[in-house]
Amino acid sequence: MNRNRIANKKTMKKIQTALILIGLLSLASCARKVESGEPQNTTPNNNVSNMNDLVVPAGFTWENSRDVNFNIGITDTRFQEAVHVVSVYDANPLAGGNLIARGSATLSTPFAAQLNLANTLKSVYIIKTSPDNSELSQEVAIEGTTVNVQLGFVVKTGKGAFGKTAGPDCSSGCTSTITTSNSNLNLNTGDVVCVTGSNISISFNANGGTLKICGSNVTVNNANLNNSSTLIVTSTASVSFSNLNQNGSSTSFQNWGTVTMGSSYSPGGSVLNNGTITTNGDYNLNTQSSQINNGIINVGQSMQVNGNTTFTNNGSVTTTQDLQVNGQGVFINNCKLWVKRDFNHSNTMQNYSYIRVDRETKVNGGAELSMYNGAMFRTLDIVINGRVKGYSNTSLVKVNGDTRINGGGEVINAIQYCDANGIETNNGTIGSGATQGCSLYVPITSCNTEGNGSAPAPTDTDGDGVSDVNDAYPNDATKAYNNYYPSATGVATVSFEDLWPSKGDYDMNDIVMTYRYNIVTNASNNVAQVIGNYTLHATGGALQNGFGVQFPIDRAKATSVTGGTLEAGQTKAVVTLFNNSRAQMATFNTVPGASASDTVNYTMSFNVTAGPSLATFGLNEYNPFIWNNTAGFGRGYEIHLPGKVPTNLANAALFGTAEDNSNVVANRYYVSTGNGLPWAISIPVKFAYPIERSDINTAYLKFATWVQSGGAQYADWYTNSTGYRDVSKVYIRP
């Protein structure tokens, strides 16, 4: 600290009036921030050269997140009033989504929670785990401040658990549009032809480019996909093809609508089906073709997966006649496959869910029927010359007629083999973990409408109604679930200016704290414990700032506090982590090129007696604040997020002084006079804060537009998207 700072501190101790103190401290803070080598803010951004030039709309809250109230009910009557566990994720958990909240729901009591979600988050994924551990999974759009969902029992399992996307449309990107019948459409590279007419007929020849069909009842008489051309049938479309010729491995057919093939279909390139495809003839995949089915495929005759091809079924496939997997063909079944005649298998079938064969199954020599994680394969008769092998959790092979295992044939590993009338011929092997029996429980789902056996009674060691497998605290009846803000692996950030009630320089780095909360609830979804993990990244103010958080419960309900101090004299539970930031961190961690201190980690926890529901307590940043504890000031100089109420220890006489526009009667707190600027901001990710003396508006190039649009534009202003940051004004640790 330089001599000017020391002198200023001595002067401050002698000053008696708050306004004089504020004015001198403001001058002192500005002086202490202009150090040799520190960059100055001279670059205007979005026609707003500094924060004071912002035009802030009336009612703008400065919030990057919003509260959403969830009410998730259960209509699954299979288990009466037993507990179903509901989990909410910020994205598809199969693709890396993170847990936010988890709790109990029954037929009579829904899972209710108030979750503070980033404004950029447009949907969540909900998983319901039933008492038998079968799962329902559903993507839910966030279209307002309330989400009401009813979850039944017809559910998917395995890898194909999540639904399809909305898909493309004809609203943009079209180079030409067809509204009437046309028998001579030619497409070349760069063309995007959109067919929007309904009740019309067309023919096309594509040697490149993209054809989108969006109209209903469209008849395609002649269709040729060649070279790198793409055919898209959108979700609004229904199309009948007399004959679709998909030639070459670089062609692509994508379907979100309803498609009927008048004859057989043999695609040479890739196929993505998110809608319904029905063929009157065969469906054959040949060399180098591939397909992903997320919807429904109905094959009028037989189906073959030939050559070096892969068919992945995440939805439903039904063949009226036979299915053959030949040569190097691979069939991956993640949901439902129904073969109404024979299944002849010569390479690899990977079954993660349910396969039904109404007549005979042949597993030929060198072929493997691979069964994963509780899958089920049901057939009338079976001939095993190759291998049936189970992986991970035990799967079921169920034979209603005859079994013939020939020499070299084997059933091994995690398989329960059920032939109720006994194995007729066994010249091979059943062993290496495989057993005979018919008791294995396989739940009924939308993929597996048959199921098997009875659900075992769940183990509930602590007797709280939540089975051990779903209970994060199976030996403690007072706790059951972990709930996280912002998520199980994410962190949020709160950044402060420390000169309240005077304005600062708005580099928002005087205190920068990231944090994650784990709110532990019991089987009734009431809060039992609060755990906070915090990391102090920057102390860009020379002042001796304290940091604390006010929680939405009475102080008397908070017990067994660790890692912090439960303040006396408070109505609400207020926990402080430190009262002098300068003692926590030797350097500012805001000046490029200067030495930097290590970040400082804190873990705080307390128990909650007779806690409120998660719907009342919520998952959010709660009410973090700092206070100016420098000599001459003290505990009453609290600084909160805009709109957040002060604690009992705040000095209410300071409201409305200097440049503060707080008004207790109007319930308005911590915004400035003039254009209503804040002294703190909350961001639902780890925030790369500005360097010293560069206000947030110049470091983040979309910030001004976000503010002046009332939050309608650039809700992701704080990200590192292209053109969003002036990198020279964002602090990077040396």
Side-chain angles (χ1 to χ4, degrees):
M1 185 175 290
N2 62 29
R3 293 180 181 178
N4 287 337
R5 293 185 189 138
I6 296 172
N8 286 331
K9 280 191 175 182
K10 291 180 179 179
T11 301
M12 285 189 288
K13 293 180 182 178
K14 300 176 182 178
I15 298 175
Q16 300 300 313
T17 68
L19 291 177
I20 295 175
L21 269 171
I22 294 163
L24 287 178
L25 185 57
S26 180
L27 292 173
S29 182
C30 290
R32 58 91 179 164
K33 285 196 170 186
V34 182
E35 296 190 2
S36 175
E38 292 187 13
Q40 300 299 300
N41 173 24
T42 59
T43 304
N45 171 55
N46 284 332
N47 298 318
V48 178
S49 59
N50 61 63
M51 290 282 283
N52 291 315
D53 294 333
L54 283 172
V55 179
V56 182
F60 182 61
T61 62
W62 300 93
E63 293 175 335
N64 293 289
S65 303
R66 78 285 199 201
D67 286 333
V68 180
N69 296 298
F70 284 76
N71 194 75
I72 304 174
I74 301 297
T75 60
D76 184 350
T77 59
R78 294 176 297 166
F79 308 98
Q80 290 80 46
E81 279 294 317
V83 168
H84 300 253
V85 177
V86 173
S87 305
V88 181
Y89 291 81
D90 60 7
N92 186 340
L94 297 178
N98 297 305
L99 177 68
I100 301 174
R102 179 169 286 160
S104 299
T106 66
L107 286 172
S108 59
T109 306
F111 171 65
Q114 185 182 83
L115 310 182
N116 192 253
L117 304 177
N119 292 337
T120 55
L121 188 65
K122 302 304 181 184
S123 66
V124 295
Y125 281 76
I126 298 175
I127 295 180
K128 184 205 75 171
T129 304
S130 297
D132 65 349
N133 291 323
S134 61
E135 292 185 345
L136 177 151
S137 37
Q138 181 175 333
E139 183 179 12
V140 177
I142 308 297
E143 298 176 341
T145 59
T146 302
V147 172
N148 291 304
V149 178
Q150 298 294 315
L151 303 177
F153 80 93
V154 179
V155 299
K156 289 185 177 181
T157 58
K159 290 185 175 180
F162 291 97
K164 60 197 179 191
T165 59
D169 56 37
C170 291
S171 62
S172 62
C174 305
T175 59
S176 63
T177 301
I178 306 299
T179 59
T180 59
S181 296
N182 191 315
S183 61
N184 191 29
L185 287 176
N186 291 292
L187 284 79
N188 297 297
T189 302
D191 293 339
V192 180
V193 177
C194 296
V195 179
T196 59
S198 297
N199 303 306
I200 64 174
S201 62
I202 64 171
S203 297
F204 68 84
N205 187 65
N207 290 299
T210 299
L211 177 68
K212 294 182 184 179
I213 302 179
C214 297
S216 61
N217 194 28
V218 176
T219 300
V220 182
N221 294 314
N222 293 295
N224 295 292
L225 284 177
N226 304 303
N227 300 325
S228 297
S229 54
T230 298
L231 170 64
I232 297 174
V233 176
T234 69
S235 60
T236 60
S238 55
V239 185
S240 296
F241 290 91
S242 297
N243 188 29
L244 175 57
N245 298 310
Q246 186 177 345
N247 305 311
S249 61
S250 61
T251 58
S252 173
F253 172 42
Q254 302 171 22
N255 175 48
W256 276 264
T258 302
V259 168
T260 301
M261 303 289 185
S263 59
S264 296
Y265 179 44
S266 299
S270 65
V271 179
L272 172 64
N273 179 46
N274 285 313
T276 300
I277 297 176
T278 301
T279 71
N280 290 327
D282 296 336
Y283 195 126
N284 299 320
L285 273 73
N286 298 311
T287 302
Q288 296 184 339
S289 62
S290 64
Q291 173 155 336
I292 297 175
N293 174 46
N294 297 319
I296 298 171
I297 295 178
N298 298 307
V299 181
Q301 296 184 29
S302 295
M303 183 175 192
Q304 294 187 23
V305 179
N306 300 315
N308 193 18
T309 64
T310 300
F311 188 104
T312 301
N313 176 39
N314 299 320
S316 172
V317 175
T318 302
T319 69
T320 303
Q321 296 183 14
D322 303 334
L323 170 65
Q324 295 185 37
V325 179
N326 302 316
Q328 298 302 310
V330 176
F331 197 116
I332 302 171
N333 180 56
N334 294 320
C335 191
K336 180 180 180 181
L337 170 62
W338 183 4
V339 181
K340 293 189 175 182
R341 287 198 355 188
D342 297 335
F343 171 38
N344 195 309
H345 172 36
S346 297
N347 191 39
T348 300
M349 168 66 77
Q350 298 176 10
N351 181 26
Y352 292 85
S353 188
Y354 176 68
I355 298 175
R356 169 180 169 175
V357 180
D358 285 354
R359 296 204 323 193
E360 183 180 73
T361 296
K362 287 184 178 179
V363 182
N364 296 316
E368 179 175 295
L369 171 59
S370 307
M371 304 282 289
Y372 294 85
N373 297 322
M376 181 173 172
F377 185 99
R378 193 261 268 184
T379 184
L380 177 61
D381 302 321
I382 191 168
V383 177
I384 302 175
N385 294 310
R387 174 184 296 168
V388 178
K389 184 176 181 179
Y391 295 85
S392 299
N393 298 333
T394 302
S395 296
L396 178 69
V397 174
K398 188 173 184 179
V399 181
N400 292 337
D402 294 341
T403 295
R404 187 164 77 242
I405 305 175
N406 295 320
E410 57 182 4
V411 179
I412 59 174
N413 290 16
I415 294 290
Q416 185 179 91
Y417 194 92
C418 172
D419 189 332
N421 62 1
I423 295 176
E424 286 73 18
T425 303
N426 184 7
N427 294 317
T429 301
I430 298 180
S432 300
T435 60
Q436 296 185 54
C438 297
S439 62
L440 182 69
Y441 175 63
V442 180
I444 293 175
T445 69
S446 60
C447 293
N448 183 349
T449 55
E450 179 179 354
N452 189 76
S454 300
T459 301
D460 181 11
T461 301
D462 58 17
D464 63 354
V466 182
S467 64
D468 287 359
V469 70
N470 295 311
D471 193 335
Y473 305 88
N475 297 304
D476 185 346
T478 68
K479 300 176 183 178
Y481 306 111
N482 293 320
N483 303 267
Y484 299 96
Y485 181 81
S487 69
T489 62
V491 295
T493 307
V494 61
S495 296
F496 292 91
E497 283 290 314
D498 65 359
L499 290 183
W500 181 88
S502 292
K503 289 182 181 179
D505 56 12
Y506 287 103
D507 52 18
M508 288 292 178
N509 63 22
D510 294 340
I511 292 290
V512 179
M513 186 80 78
T514 60
Y515 60 93
R516 178 190 304 126
Y517 286 110
N518 177 8
I519 307 304
V520 181
T521 54
N522 62 19
S524 298
N525 304 322
N526 295 323
V527 177
Q529 185 181 29
V530 174
I531 303 170
N533 292 288
Y534 309 85
T535 299
L536 180 63
H537 291 268
T539 55
L543 307 179
Q544 297 176 9
N545 293 307
F547 178 86
V549 183
Q550 179 173 260
F551 294 93
I553 56 169
D554 293 340
R555 184 184 186 278
K557 289 181 175 290
T559 62
S560 304
V561 179
T562 64
T565 300
L566 183 65
E567 277 197 322
Q570 300 280 18
T571 301
K572 296 294 184 181
V574 177
V575 179
T576 62
L577 299 186
F578 55 80
N579 59 20
N580 182 358
S581 55
R582 292 270 48 90
Q584 300 296 306
M585 185 172 282
T587 65
F588 297 146
N589 284 9
T590 59
V591 180
S595 61
S597 299
D598 291 337
T599 58
V600 185
N601 297 317
Y602 310 85
T603 298
M604 174 279 301
S605 70
F606 59 87
N607 294 334
V608 181
T609 302
S613 68
L614 192 61
T616 300
F617 192 83
L619 288 175
N620 55 65
E621 75 272 293
Y622 304 110
N623 190 356
F625 65 96
I626 63 173
W627 72 92
N628 180 359
N629 209 33
T630 307
F633 286 73
R635 181 61 184 80
Y637 283 77
E638 288 185 4
I639 304 172
H640 292 250
L641 290 162
K644 294 289 189 179
V645 298
T647 77
N648 295 122
L649 300 185
N651 184 354
L654 296 173
F655 295 143
T657 64
E659 293 167 298
D660 176 61
N661 195 29
S662 298
N663 186 301
V664 175
V665 175
N667 197 31
R668 182 178 64 242
Y669 295 102
Y670 299 104
V671 290
S672 72
T673 56
N675 54 353
L677 300 181
W679 277 268
I681 193 165
S682 178
I683 299 163
V685 297
K686 184 178 180 180
F687 180 54
Y689 53 87
I691 62 174
E692 199 66 38
R693 300 291 292 170
S694 289
D695 75 39
I696 191 171
N697 171 68
T698 64
Y700 283 87
L701 307 181
K702 307 302 180 184
F703 180 83
T705 305
W706 171 68
V707 173
Q708 296 188 147
S709 70
Q713 299 180 40
Y714 294 109
D716 61 343
W717 65 266
Y718 48 80
T719 65
N720 194 23
S721 299
T722 302
Y724 277 43
R725 294 181 183 176
D726 182 342
V727 179
S728 69
K729 296 179 180 180
V730 174
Y731 183 75
I732 306 297
R733 288 183 61 85

